[in-house]
Amino acid sequence: MHVSSSFAFPSLASIALIFLASASQAAPVKVFILCGQSNMEGKGAIKHLEQLLADPATAKTYQHLRDDNGWVERDDVFIQYNDDRGRGKLGLGYGTPTNRFGPELEFGHVVGNALDEKVLIIKCAWGGRALAVRFRPPSSGKGDYTQRNRQTKEIVPLPEETYGEAYRDTIRIVQKTLANIDQIVPDYNQKEGYQLSGFVFFQGFNDVIDQKKVDEYGQNLENLVRDVRKDLDAPKLPFVIGELGQQGVEPEKRHAEKHFAFRKMQEDVSKLPEFKGNVAFVKTSPYIVSDGESFDGGYHYYGRADTFFHIGHAFGEAMLKLNQP
């Protein structure tokens, strides 16, 4: 049998390169859920971000967010924000109001730079939502909180449907988005599908101001992790808990004890044996700049772009660690 000298079997190296190329092109989309209240909605001022980019002392840190054509939109990271607050390529414009941005911006750059796969961020955030009430997970059962009736001025129980409203909306939005993922992620490969790869929860202000809600926060947070994993059918879904760090590393004396205790409660959940290696607590208080210009009065981390940028970066780094094999 004669074999033509013009034919050459592919080398093992060539076969490996072909396999790796096809695998990278057909890998499942990595899906991350960012959930919480107003700080997750995003209050970082774009006006401040422009100032940071104009200052030679800080411009280098943020230069990847803008190029000669304007604000960068990534071709490999996509976002769905609630039902009606926007979808598309990750860039600016996914905060509330739209002249703000949240942790999603730098989070998306961190995970997008590190991962070969396309990334989809599903952001579910609403201001003024307590974990004890609207984010209340099913395993916590019905709460027993009250409100004042506007007409009679009497104190009456909260309507039963109020409990868990934001939790249910989060699960619904995630499921609806994933059912229509091909409308958000270009060239979505149905065969390869997607992989739920992480959940970030950044919330707490509406609980810390009410001692009754503080008292049950730890148990509610535990239940949130378990219930989200159950309802999304992702038993080991990596979970990042963002510290309620509004008061900074050293809170005001009159608030210090309560805030330190609350932060410890959040961190303690991440240390439970069942959550070892798949739940992380991320400090946000170190990124507070309390002696600089404020873009949101005394609220929402002063609305500073540098603070929200660094918080998003920290969330992204923590999530990548949880996703390591």
Side-chain angles (χ1 to χ4, degrees):
M1 175 179 170
H2 176 71
V3 178
S4 170
S5 59
S6 63
F7 178 86
F9 289 101
S11 68
L12 290 176
S14 299
I15 294 173
L17 286 173
I18 293 169
F19 174 79
L20 287 172
S22 61
S24 63
Q25 293 170 2
V29 174
K30 296 281 191 178
V31 179
F32 298 94
I33 302 153
L34 305 188
C35 178
Q37 54 180 124
S38 56
N39 289 316
M40 185 60 92
E41 281 186 312
K43 305 300 180 184
I46 295 176
K47 174 184 176 182
H48 185 215
L49 185 58
E50 290 172 338
Q51 293 177 11
L52 293 167
L53 279 161
D55 185 345
T58 54
K60 186 176 180 180
T61 300
Y62 310 96
Q63 64 185 4
H64 61 285
L65 301 177
R66 190 165 64 186
D67 59 22
D68 293 339
N69 297 316
W71 297 112
V72 167
E73 291 186 338
R74 292 194 66 120
D75 293 322
D76 57 345
V77 183
F78 306 89
I79 184 169
Q80 169 76 46
Y81 181 14
N82 287 358
D83 285 304
D84 55 358
R85 294 194 185 177
R87 66 163 59 165
K89 296 179 179 181
L90 180 70
L92 291 178
Y94 295 102
T96 299
T98 53
N99 64 348
R100 307 276 174 151
F101 69 92
E104 78 288 336
L105 182 63
E106 181 61 7
F107 177 93
H109 279 276
V110 170
V111 298
N113 290 342
L115 300 174
D116 293 329
E117 303 90 340
K118 288 181 179 178
V119 170
L120 171 62
I121 294 171
I122 304 175
K123 180 171 160 178
C124 305
W126 304 269
R129 304 296 194 264
L131 180 57
V133 182
R134 295 185 189 273
F135 272 116
R136 194 176 188 88
S139 293
S140 290
K142 180 185 173 184
D144 60 346
Y145 292 88
T146 58
Q147 65 180 3
R148 188 177 295 278
N149 184 292
R150 292 183 179 180
Q151 281 73 42
T152 67
K153 307 303 181 184
E154 295 179 352
I155 301 298
V156 296
L158 280 175
E160 188 170 346
E161 63 270 18
T162 305
Y163 295 105
E165 177 187 63
Y167 176 90
R168 293 189 297 274
D169 279 342
T170 297
I171 299 300
R172 176 186 57 77
I173 289 168
V174 170
Q175 292 175 337
K176 179 182 176 182
T177 301
L178 294 177
N180 297 283
I181 190 171
D182 58 330
Q183 298 177 19
I184 307 169
V185 180
D187 302 318
Y188 175 70
N189 188 315
Q190 194 72 42
K191 182 178 179 181
E192 293 300 326
Y194 60 82
Q195 179 182 20
L196 282 171
S197 301
F199 192 105
V200 181
F201 192 61
F202 188 29
Q203 184 276 345
F205 186 80
N206 275 67
D207 292 271
V208 78
I209 59 177
D210 182 332
Q211 188 58 49
K212 183 178 178 181
K213 293 172 182 173
V214 171
D215 291 341
E216 63 170 310
Y217 194 86
Q219 185 61 61
N220 286 335
L221 189 54
E222 288 181 38
N223 289 341
L224 181 79
V225 178
R226 299 186 189 108
D227 287 355
V228 162
R229 288 172 167 176
K230 177 182 177 183
D231 288 339
L232 295 181
D233 193 23
K236 293 295 183 181
L237 181 66
F239 211 104
V240 167
I241 298 168
E243 176 191 51
L244 179 65
Q246 172 66 34
Q247 286 275 320
V249 175
E250 292 294 335
E252 296 176 43
K253 288 185 178 180
R254 59 182 175 147
H255 299 306
E257 184 177 354
K258 175 179 282 191
H259 277 264
F260 282 136
F262 193 85
R263 295 171 187 181
K264 184 178 185 302
M265 201 179 300
Q266 291 180 306
E267 185 172 15
D268 284 348
V269 170
S270 72
K271 294 180 177 179
L272 291 172
E274 69 180 286
F275 296 154
K276 183 177 181 181
N278 56 63
V279 176
F281 172 74
V282 174
K283 289 183 177 293
T284 65
S285 53
Y287 307 116
I288 284 279
V289 180
S290 57
D291 58 350
E293 185 177 358
S294 173
F295 297 83
D296 202 347
Y299 300 98
H300 304 120
Y301 295 76
Y302 303 106
R304 291 183 61 92
D306 47 6
T307 300
F308 279 90
F309 175 93
H310 290 299
I311 288 173
H313 192 96
F315 288 166
E317 292 286 351
M319 187 59 74
L320 290 174
K321 288 182 180 179
L322 292 179
N323 270 270
Q324 289 177 349

